[in-house]
Amino acid sequence: MVEESSGGSDASGTRPRRRSILGATLPDTRKVAVGADPKTRNKDEKAKDNVVHTTKYNAVTFFPKSMYEQYRRLANVYFTVVAGLSLNPDISPVNPFTTISPLCLVLGISIAKEAIEDAKRRAADAELNSRKVLRMNFSSQQWEPTAWKDIVIGDVVKVRNDEYFPADILVMSTTNDDGVCYVETMNLDGETNLKVKKAMEQTWNFSGADVPPDMTVECDLPNNSLYTFTGKLSWGNLVLPAGPSALLLRGSSLRNTKHIVGAVVYAGHDTKVMMNAMDAPSKRSKLERSMDNVIFFMFLLLFVMCLSGALCTALWTRSEGDDMWYMAPKFIPPEFDPASMYEVGIYSFLTSFILYGYLIPISLYVSMEIVKVFQSMVFINQDRQMYHDETDTPALARTSNLNEELGQVDTVLSDKTGTLTRNVMEFFKCTIAGESFGSGITEVERAVARRRGQELPDESNVHNPFREFGFNFFDGRLMDGMWMRHPQSKIIGDFFRVLAVCHTVICDGEPTRSKIKYEAESPDESALVIAAKQMGFFFKRRGPTSVVVEEFDANGNNVDVEYEILNILEFNSTRKRMSVICRNHDGRIRLFCKGADSIIKDRLTAQDVNDNRKATFAYCEEFALAGLRTLCLAHRELDPTEYDAWQETFAEARTSMHDREQKLMDVAEDIEKELILLGATAIEDKLQEGVPQCIETLGKAGVGLWVLTGDKVETAVNIGMACSLILNDTKQYSITPELDPEVMRLEAEGDMGAAKAKALEVVTTNLKAASQELMSDNSGTTKNCAIIIDGKALVHALATDESRNSFLRAGLACRAVLCCRVSPLQKALVTQLVRSTGSTALAIGDGANDVGMIQAADIGVGISGQEGMQAVMASDFAIAQFRYLERLLLVHGRWSYKRLGRMVCYFFYKNILFGLILYYYNASAFFSGKTVYNEWFMSLFNVFFTSFPVFAVGIFDKDVTAASGIEFPGLYGQGPRNEYFGVKLRAYWILNGVYQSVVTYFLVFAVMGQGISDRADGHSAELAVAGMTAYTCIVLTVSLQLASIIETWTWIHHYLIWGSVIFWFYFIAIYSIQNPDYIGEAVHLFAIAANSPNFWLLLVLIPIACLLPDFLIRAVRRHLYPADHQIIAEAELAKLSGKGVVGSLTFAEKGQVGQRRMSQVALESNPDRLYGKSGAAANLARKISVDGDDPNSSTAHDLNVLPSPVVGQVQEAPDRHRKPWRPMAIAVEAAQSISRSWSGSRITKDSPKSSPRVSEQDVGVEMASKG
């Protein structure tokens, strides 16, 4: 019978623990009675039923929970308070309906969105809970179809082929003779390869009704560890250990098996998949967090305005109130009673609190949500240039909350295997008995040689008749059975025999060499089995206790050889090796082992055997330098007496209900020793298409890249060179304690405590020295250097504040950081360390071991790769290839950040302008609470008349084309420098609103408030006319202000902006002719105003006076100090308009700051603190040649400082100084550079890839052309 370990813990690392309540220890296992009447027999377990709810609300909790979600936003709390106060007519200056209705509209839209999403989840839950499964009715001895929701623990169920498991089930029997069934876990972890599950031999014959009545299952308490299970199945005097190979998890499905019979051990929300279904960590973008500060400032301003009004009213009423005989002091209301100064002040404060509420934009959050959803669902999800045709995988924005955060990324932390590489493994080379086999040049070797200017022979036309998927090996000494003539044929045979037997691969399909298919848990394991097949060791089938391998006999004939599998010691991230103990046909017991070279090396025999270990490990280093993944193979023959004694210990560990995993690993250590080395395999994992170009572009954009991989240092370095991460002249700082002689001596003596302390000292000293050297010039520049640190050194680098700070300083000063041999937990810790500076960190990976890193980062990006979908399911954005990250950040991220930044600034600007006029008029009316606008005008200002034009900016506006955004990656730096939502820019918009409010108010009342008539009927302007005039001027001014910042016009822009202005005039014309009982002073208001020449004069004069200073500032700045995107946009315009191209352009040198400096400055400003916030960065000259030169080429680095480009490298021409009012001059001069950089590149007019196939251009510009 096959014995196996319970496997390692999953990524979460969660294991069941003993519970303690008030000092009383509770059992850490549950005992489940199986068979008849399980609900009654298991009532003491207090287990959950099998009904699953994934909804956020129910009928009782919907209203309170949805309201709680809305009132987490401070603005909604404020508007609700205002609406409540407005119900009191003594203090409210407006009709309560005008404050309540906009609030209800905004809250209603948000709550309706929540209800619709939850209704979809509820429908999915109902469908799932109503599915049917066959359950044994022990009374009738028949299988009965039963809804999933009615299943309880202890039930015996039958699941048929292609059906999903309704709960976590302990399998007892299958229709296969060997008790094996095949399970697909795609819905669980995204992996498409089938997993083998097997029943215990003693239960193979159970059909359901014959389950013993006293059968029980003792197992772990419910936990979220997907890959661990500790249990015992017992009846009578028989006790059988059960491991994870016998547990069928809810969410997976049965394949290639007619049916299985099993007992339910976990149901409903106790199942492992449901216990893993936790909410992703809540993430908010920097812009949204900064917006909270602006709202807080607006509240502070509101408080100051209310307080100043209350004080002035109280003081004025006390000093002047007694003389106001016309207000009938005997009947005066308390809010104007001179004898109650404090009461007057309180009433005035509350009145102002209601009146000035229009400073806070009530529709801002709803507008942002609409814009973000449009950006993600339309532009990102539908972008064909991020669609991978081979796998039919589009880009996917799993959340719309972080669109703008994509435009502010400072550092990218990336996995290697499956992220930078394809995770398509091919057997490429090997070393056996100290001899190297295999020919060919790896992709990494070619990339490194190309970067060094060397030419390697082209092997694309070389024909390999043995090549197949997973096998790209050729050597005439081994192929086609030639290895049997080799002097070391016995060792070579054992080498490939290990590959054919030591694995957990499943055979699928016809058992012939050409038609068989292998289902493996990892692609490299499949590649190794295929290599064994090619060498004559054909793995044909797997039984419950054996595997059959077709081999050559002594005469060269193919014969089937059966190996009895006695034990499987499975691979996990802690052991880093796998072993199989088997009995040969001749009765010998052998142990086959494969694992990482560092692990195998420590377990080799100390006896004097000629296993060529020195040559083998030298070849491993050589293979690693070529970018190949190595795995060492070893074996030993076991003495039957030794094995029998070990087997007793192993069986005892298998049946333990406490710390079973650790005990099994300890037992495995006792047998995996005294190994004899056979050789090592070398597997190639090819780079993904476009990875080097993407990394190079991100580097030019100033984005730092940290690679976190489990590979050895040599492999990671060469992959880094192939990816353009490390250049020829990049200075490498290698941080490792293993090379220190003192550490090695202490380890050899067994003094591990002293060795650990010394290693910490060595790592900290090296990091501190590297940090001081890199930052010695105080230039703040990114150096052409790389930090390379292994897993052991990383443990010490993260151990203390001093080592963490030194590591972070050094890493942020380099162009690249490579962390090798790291665990999933270390990936998450490094990510948190990078985030601690306040910089925006993006983590990208494709496997379950990347989930912690993805969730710890500000933005998580999952790659839909070969390792399943767990990374994607934990991510915020999902893409199919690493190269799509370039477009995701430089195009969609940059546009989203810029659009939303401008949109939010504009919202606050227009509300400042609108709200301050209320304050000015109220001040002139002695803060009596009198409004200058009509009540409905105030309510609809944010909801209708000024809300729709912002969508034009938030959705469709763009400064340069997508092609230019990628061609000039330095433009991306505007995001990390926060140029479009920084403190200075926000202050500018607020001051602009203050200035325009002053101009609007005083011009309107200077013209209309003097009592001079300008109408034919001789009447002067009433307050309602003056208020409507000011309101109209505001609508027109804010619309023109918005139009002045738009950089790309489409018919949508015209429709929304000018349509809103026209809609206002249409509304006031219709509104003013309604029933006077409803509109009060607004009767015939538009007709009265339209007959006033002053009204039309002010409509022209006020917008000009308001916008002229801002226009002049923008014009001067654009003409004398143009931004990078403005230069490129003008050059694009000149090229499209057919302007002649004059001479060559070298742009003015810009004092731009790379994004990575934002995180560096945080550390520089807080040298003793690990957790800092990014601040203003020092100036750094950034250069790029716009004529297509590669500043990161091998000939571009004479200095140690890496050029990180923005727009142009400058040689100031004599005629470069521009004359006033010639903004197109720069475009004419720039056109040649733009044209030249486009010609011969991907941005050519005739190129089919010259523009995005689906982008804002398609949605916006093409819609405009059709319109």
Side-chain angles (χ1 to χ4, degrees):
M1 179 178 174
V2 179
E3 306 280 2
E4 67 167 0
S5 71
S6 62
S9 61
D10 64 348
S12 68
T14 302
R15 299 177 58 191
R17 301 188 179 186
R18 185 176 298 271
R19 298 172 296 168
S20 177
I21 298 179
L22 298 179
T25 302
L26 301 181
D28 56 0
T29 62
R30 67 162 35 166
K31 184 172 288 188
V32 178
V34 179
D37 195 20
K39 192 169 186 179
T40 302
R41 296 169 63 192
N42 293 312
K43 63 181 180 179
D44 292 339
E45 290 297 327
K46 298 180 180 180
K48 297 179 181 178
D49 58 27
N50 204 40
V51 179
V52 167
H53 299 290
T54 61
T55 55
K56 195 174 181 179
Y57 312 102
N58 58 38
V60 177
T61 64
F62 174 73
F63 183 76
K65 289 183 70 174
S66 62
M67 295 303 289
Y68 169 75
E69 290 294 327
Q70 299 308 312
Y71 285 107
R72 291 173 65 184
R73 293 170 170 170
L74 186 59
N76 288 340
V77 175
Y78 167 74
F79 288 119
T80 302
V81 172
V82 168
L85 292 175
S86 66
L87 295 173
N88 187 340
D90 293 335
I91 60 175
S92 176
V94 296
N95 188 320
F97 188 74
T98 61
T99 58
I100 296 174
S101 55
L103 175 66
C104 292
L105 178 64
V106 171
L107 292 181
I109 293 175
S110 298
I111 292 175
K113 173 175 170 286
E114 292 281 332
I116 293 172
E117 291 178 351
D118 209 56
K120 292 179 180 179
R121 289 191 287 265
R122 184 175 301 278
D125 289 344
E127 188 276 330
L128 195 67
N129 291 325
S130 300
R131 289 182 182 178
K132 301 292 184 181
V133 68
L134 295 176
R135 179 174 64 177
M136 171 56 63
N137 186 327
F138 286 90
S139 299
S140 62
Q141 301 287 297
Q142 297 293 325
W143 293 106
E144 293 181 351
T146 306
W148 281 19
K149 62 184 178 181
D150 297 326
I151 297 295
V152 296
I153 61 170
D155 274 335
V156 176
V157 296
K158 177 193 283 188
V159 180
R160 293 172 290 196
N161 190 40
D162 293 333
E163 290 184 344
Y164 287 94
F165 300 114
D168 289 352
I169 300 170
L170 187 68
V171 60
M172 295 190 292
S173 65
T174 76
T175 51
N176 297 327
D177 295 336
D178 51 10
V180 170
C181 63
Y182 302 98
V183 175
E184 183 180 82
T185 60
M186 176 180 287
N187 287 349
L188 205 62
D189 57 16
E191 297 183 10
T192 56
N193 51 295
L194 300 181
K195 310 291 191 306
V196 177
K197 300 290 183 178
K198 50 183 176 292
M200 288 155 284
E201 188 174 0
Q202 292 84 346
T203 63
W204 285 359
N205 296 323
F206 286 172
S207 61
D210 53 352
V211 170
D214 61 340
M215 177 180 282
T216 60
V217 176
E218 185 179 357
C219 59
D220 301 324
L221 289 173
N223 61 83
N224 65 352
S225 181
L226 290 174
Y227 306 116
T228 61
F229 176 72
T230 303
K232 291 190 295 187
L233 181 67
S234 60
W235 70 91
N237 296 322
L238 186 63
V239 178
L240 302 174
S245 63
L247 188 67
L248 309 177
L249 300 182
R250 179 186 177 118
S252 53
S253 58
L254 188 66
R255 294 285 186 267
N256 299 344
T257 308
K258 289 184 179 179
H259 71 257
I260 64 97
V261 174
V264 176
V265 292
Y266 302 121
H269 287 273
D270 282 345
T271 58
K272 291 180 179 289
V273 66
M274 292 307 299
M275 296 198 73
N276 272 277
M278 60 183 65
D279 294 333
S282 178
K283 298 181 180 180
R284 297 180 70 203
S285 67
K286 278 186 177 179
L287 188 144
E288 192 169 343
R289 293 195 298 268
S290 299
M291 196 173 74
D292 290 344
N293 296 332
V294 180
I295 290 180
F296 179 78
F297 168 78
M298 300 295 276
F299 277 121
L300 182 62
L301 178 63
L302 174 66
F303 178 80
V304 171
M305 292 166 60
C306 294
L307 184 62
S308 63
L311 290 175
C312 291
T313 302
L315 294 173
W316 177 81
T317 303
R318 185 181 66 174
S319 61
E320 304 291 339
D322 293 332
D323 298 331
M324 295 185 293
W325 55 267
Y326 47 86
M327 295 187 66
K330 292 183 180 181
F331 306 101
I332 198 167
E335 60 265 28
F336 295 109
D337 188 355
S340 305
M341 183 184 72
Y342 294 108
E343 190 173 354
V344 169
I346 292 173
Y347 272 104
S348 176
F349 184 92
L350 295 176
T351 301
S352 299
F353 190 75
I354 299 171
L355 184 61
Y356 305 147
Y358 299 96
L359 283 171
I360 313 298
I362 190 172
S363 60
L364 174 59
Y365 289 111
V366 173
S367 300
M368 286 185 66
E369 285 189 10
I370 294 172
V371 167
K372 286 184 176 184
V373 167
F374 203 98
Q375 288 174 347
S376 59
M377 300 304 175
V378 177
F379 295 150
I380 295 178
N381 292 1
Q382 303 297 324
D383 190 340
R384 293 184 189 173
Q385 291 203 14
M386 294 197 297
Y387 168 76
H388 193 235
D389 187 57
E390 294 179 14
T391 58
D392 188 28
T393 306
L396 175 64
R398 292 172 50 83
T399 178
S400 61
N401 295 333
L402 301 174
N403 298 345
E404 67 276 20
E405 196 80 340
L406 290 171
Q408 295 186 279
V409 172
D410 180 274
T411 305
V412 171
L413 299 103
S414 173
D415 177 41
K416 183 188 76 66
T417 303
T419 303
L420 301 178
T421 60
R422 300 178 187 176
N423 203 20
V424 177
M425 309 297 183
E426 291 184 332
F427 188 89
F428 196 77
K429 290 183 179 180
C430 64
T431 174
I432 308 173
E435 187 176 352
S436 178
F437 297 94
S439 60
I441 302 171
T442 66
E443 194 175 76
V444 171
E445 289 175 306
R446 290 188 180 279
V448 173
R450 193 181 307 117
R451 183 160 290 282
R452 290 173 176 169
Q454 301 172 355
E455 289 294 332
L456 295 179
D458 185 11
E459 297 181 343
S460 59
N461 297 324
V462 177
H463 176 62
N464 181 0
F466 302 97
R467 182 166 187 176
E468 65 173 295
F469 183 80
F471 187 80
N472 186 20
F473 175 91
F474 183 83
D475 194 307
R477 295 170 292 173
L478 298 182
M479 302 305 301
D480 205 16
M482 294 301 293
W483 62 269
M484 299 182 68
R485 303 179 184 178
H486 195 279
Q488 301 287 352
S489 60
K490 184 178 183 304
I491 297 178
I492 295 175
D494 281 339
F495 180 90
F496 289 109
R497 187 174 289 111
V498 171
L499 295 184
V501 176
C502 185
H503 57 78
T504 57
V505 173
I506 305 168
C507 299
D508 190 18
E510 188 176 335
T512 63
R513 292 178 181 268
S514 58
K515 295 184 179 180
I516 197 167
K517 294 181 179 179
Y518 293 127
E519 297 285 348
E521 294 188 7
S522 63
D524 50 351
E525 190 171 40
S526 175
L528 295 176
V529 175
I530 293 172
K533 180 187 72 172
Q534 287 284 358
M535 297 301 171
F537 293 83
F538 172 34
F539 169 56
K540 294 182 70 174
R541 63 179 178 271
R542 177 183 295 277
T545 61
S546 65
V547 295
V548 176
V549 179
E550 184 182 279
E551 303 178 5
F552 293 126
D553 62 8
N555 299 319
N557 300 318
N558 290 327
V559 295
D560 286 352
V561 179
E562 184 173 8
Y563 294 88
E564 181 185 358
I565 306 299
L566 302 177
N567 304 89
I568 298 177
L569 309 178
E570 293 185 347
F571 176 91
N572 63 42
S573 58
T574 303
R575 286 169 39 80
K576 296 184 179 178
R577 64 190 183 278
M578 173 192 178
S579 296
V580 166
I581 302 176
C582 63
R583 179 179 281 115
N584 286 8
H585 59 281
D586 57 4
R588 290 188 301 159
I589 299 176
R590 304 183 68 184
L591 181 144
F592 295 151
C593 183
K594 63 183 181 183
D597 53 359
S598 60
I599 299 297
I600 300 297
K601 182 186 297 185
D602 296 336
R603 286 160 179 77
L604 296 179
T605 179
Q607 299 178 9
D608 186 16
V609 295
N610 185 19
D611 57 6
N612 300 286
R613 62 185 66 179
K614 186 174 181 180
T616 298
F617 291 125
Y619 281 123
C620 284
E621 298 293 330
E622 182 181 316
F623 294 154
L625 289 173
L628 299 174
R629 297 162 59 93
T630 59
L631 204 65
C632 286
L633 308 185
H635 73 127
R636 67 172 293 204
E637 187 169 334
L638 300 176
D639 181 83
T641 304
E642 177 191 3
Y643 173 73
D644 291 342
W646 176 86
Q647 175 63 18
E648 291 181 6
T649 308
F650 182 76
E652 183 180 344
R654 286 185 67 243
T655 56
S656 172
M657 290 301 296
H658 303 289
D659 297 325
R660 179 186 293 183
E661 295 171 26
Q662 186 60 47
K663 290 178 180 178
L664 286 170
M665 286 194 290
D666 293 341
V667 171
E669 288 281 351
D670 296 335
I671 200 76
E672 293 172 325
K673 60 184 181 180
E674 300 298 322
L675 302 177
I676 299 174
L677 184 65
L678 294 171
T681 61
I683 292 179
E684 182 180 20
D685 186 9
K686 293 183 178 292
L687 289 176
Q688 288 187 16
E689 179 186 352
V691 166
Q693 295 83 354
C694 177
I695 290 177
E696 193 168 335
T697 302
L698 292 177
K700 292 177 181 179
V703 178
L705 183 63
W706 293 39
V707 176
L708 313 177
T709 176
D711 285 335
K712 58 197 306 182
V713 171
E714 295 82 3
T715 304
V717 168
N718 281 275
I719 292 290
M721 295 189 70
C723 293
S724 300
L725 192 61
I726 299 177
L727 308 175
N728 294 340
D729 56 346
T730 298
K731 184 175 181 179
Q732 300 178 20
Y733 294 89
S734 182
I735 311 296
T736 175
E738 293 185 341
L739 301 179
D740 185 79
E742 183 67 15
V743 175
M744 296 173 66
R745 183 186 65 80
L746 291 171
E747 288 181 346
E749 294 175 356
D751 191 352
M752 303 310 296
K756 183 178 180 181
K758 182 61 179 177
L760 174 60
E761 179 186 341
V762 170
V763 170
T764 304
T765 301
N766 291 342
L767 285 172
K768 188 180 296 184
S771 173
Q772 292 173 351
E773 181 179 342
L774 288 167
M775 306 183 72
S776 59
D777 58 359
N778 296 319
S779 64
T781 57
T782 301
K783 307 299 189 301
N784 183 24
C785 302
I787 296 290
I788 300 163
I789 185 169
D790 62 18
K792 290 184 178 179
L794 192 60
V795 171
H796 302 299
L798 300 174
T800 65
D801 287 347
E802 183 182 15
S803 61
R804 282 194 294 266
N805 271 316
S806 298
F807 178 41
L808 193 56
R809 289 171 183 274
L812 294 174
C814 293
R815 66 172 282 117
V817 177
L818 276 73
C819 301
C820 311
R821 297 294 196 189
V822 296
S823 67
L825 177 60
Q826 286 178 320
K827 289 184 178 183
L829 292 175
V830 171
T831 304
Q832 292 173 350
L833 180 66
V834 174
R835 283 191 63 192
S836 68
T837 64
S839 61
T840 302
L842 180 147
I844 179 169
D846 72 317
N849 61 336
D850 301 318
V851 169
M853 174 178 71
I854 286 173
Q855 292 187 334
D858 294 290
I859 308 170
V861 177
I863 289 187
S864 309
Q866 301 291 324
E867 295 191 21
M869 298 292 288
Q870 281 195 337
V872 170
M873 291 186 289
S875 67
D876 304 302
F877 299 89
I879 54 179
Q881 297 278 286
F882 182 87
R883 69 179 187 270
Y884 297 148
L885 188 64
E886 174 186 80
R887 185 172 178 83
L888 185 66
L889 298 186
L890 271 59
V891 177
H892 295 289
R894 181 176 171 276
W895 277 346
S896 296
Y897 160 73
K898 191 169 184 178
R899 289 164 174 166
L900 283 167
R902 285 187 163 187
M903 173 180 163
V904 174
C905 285
Y906 174 77
F907 253 105
F908 287 113
Y909 144 78
K910 68 183 180 68
N911 279 62
I912 284 278
L913 168 57
F914 183 78
L916 286 182
I917 292 180
L918 285 169
Y919 179 76
Y920 301 152
Y921 178 76
N922 204 27
S924 67
F926 296 101
F927 297 101
S928 60
K930 180 62 178 176
T931 61
V932 67
Y933 310 124
N934 179 275
E935 295 174 353
W936 280 107
F937 296 173
M938 292 192 292
S939 299
L940 300 179
F941 178 76
N942 278 315
V943 178
F944 285 109
F945 301 131
T946 61
S947 61
F948 294 109
V950 298
F951 294 136
V953 172
I955 297 176
F956 297 107
D957 194 40
K958 62 176 179 288
D959 50 1
V960 297
T961 62
S964 292
I966 295 175
E967 186 73 14
F968 300 99
L971 292 174
Y972 184 79
Q974 296 171 333
R977 292 192 297 272
N978 204 15
E979 292 185 3
Y980 287 93
F981 202 65
V983 175
K984 290 183 179 180
L985 186 66
R986 283 178 268 163
Y988 174 82
W989 276 99
I990 290 174
L991 291 175
N992 191 30
V994 172
Y995 162 76
Q996 293 184 10
S997 67
V998 172
V999 170
T1000 302
Y1001 175 78
F1002 287 103
L1003 277 180
V1004 167
F1005 283 91
V1007 173
M1008 291 190 164
Q1010 304 301 319
I1012 302 174
S1013 174
D1014 64 334
R1015 305 204 302 258
D1017 58 8
H1019 290 91
S1020 59
E1022 300 87 348
L1023 176 61
V1025 175
M1028 194 270 279
T1029 303
Y1031 192 96
T1032 306
C1033 290
I1034 292 172
V1035 171
L1036 189 57
T1037 299
V1038 298
S1039 298
L1040 290 171
Q1041 180 72 72
L1042 184 66
S1044 70
I1045 64 172
I1046 289 177
E1047 294 177 295
T1048 299
W1049 283 89
T1050 68
W1051 67 265
I1052 298 177
H1053 292 78
H1054 290 290
Y1055 181 82
L1056 292 177
I1057 293 175
W1058 313 129
S1060 294
V1061 176
I1062 295 171
F1063 176 63
W1064 157 247
F1065 280 102
Y1066 180 79
F1067 170 83
I1068 187 59
I1070 300 298
Y1071 177 78
S1072 61
I1073 60 174
Q1074 301 305 306
N1075 191 324
D1077 293 337
Y1078 298 107
I1079 63 175
E1081 298 176 348
V1083 176
H1084 302 301
L1085 182 60
F1086 180 71
I1088 296 172
N1091 289 323
S1092 170
N1094 288 339
F1095 172 76
W1096 301 106
L1097 173 65
L1098 291 172
L1099 290 190
V1100 176
L1101 181 61
I1102 288 178
I1104 292 176
C1106 288
L1107 299 175
L1108 187 59
D1110 177 71
F1111 175 79
L1112 291 175
I1113 291 172
R1114 292 179 186 275
V1116 170
R1117 182 184 300 167
R1118 186 181 185 106
H1119 185 68
L1120 298 179
Y1121 310 101
D1124 303 321
H1125 69 274
Q1126 292 170 341
I1127 297 174
I1128 295 173
E1130 291 173 1
E1132 289 175 341
L1133 181 60
K1135 183 175 183 292
L1136 293 174
S1137 61
K1139 297 285 186 181
V1141 179
V1142 184
S1144 64
L1145 171 70
T1146 51
F1147 293 118
E1149 182 169 341
K1150 301 291 176 183
Q1152 302 289 354
V1153 183
Q1155 290 99 299
R1156 302 192 64 213
R1157 301 285 65 70
M1158 302 305 293
S1159 50
Q1160 260 192 288
V1161 169
L1163 281 178
E1164 292 168 1
S1165 60
N1166 296 278
D1168 299 323
R1169 292 183 57 201
L1170 176 64
Y1171 300 98
K1173 294 185 178 180
S1174 58
N1179 287 334
L1180 165 64
R1182 296 285 184 172
K1183 303 176 181 179
I1184 180 176
S1185 173
V1186 297
D1187 57 6
D1189 293 340
D1190 179 6
N1192 287 332
S1193 67
S1194 58
T1195 60
H1197 295 291
D1198 297 332
L1199 301 177
N1200 214 24
V1201 177
L1202 171 68
S1204 184
V1206 174
V1207 175
Q1209 180 176 338
V1210 183
Q1211 296 293 332
E1212 189 75 11
D1215 57 348
R1216 183 72 176 114
H1217 302 285
R1218 307 178 188 92
K1219 297 180 180 180
W1221 306 110
R1222 291 185 58 199
M1224 283 299 294
I1226 187 173
V1228 175
E1229 294 177 278
Q1232 182 177 9
S1233 297
I1234 298 294
S1235 177
R1236 190 166 65 248
S1237 64
W1238 287 349
S1239 62
S1241 69
R1242 58 176 173 267
I1243 312 178
T1244 58
K1245 182 177 180 181
D1246 299 327
S1247 172
K1249 297 181 181 179
S1250 60
S1251 61
R1253 291 157 65 187
V1254 170
S1255 67
E1256 283 82 343
Q1257 291 168 302
D1258 297 313
V1259 180
V1261 178
E1262 290 187 9
M1263 288 172 64
S1265 63
K1266 293 177 181 178

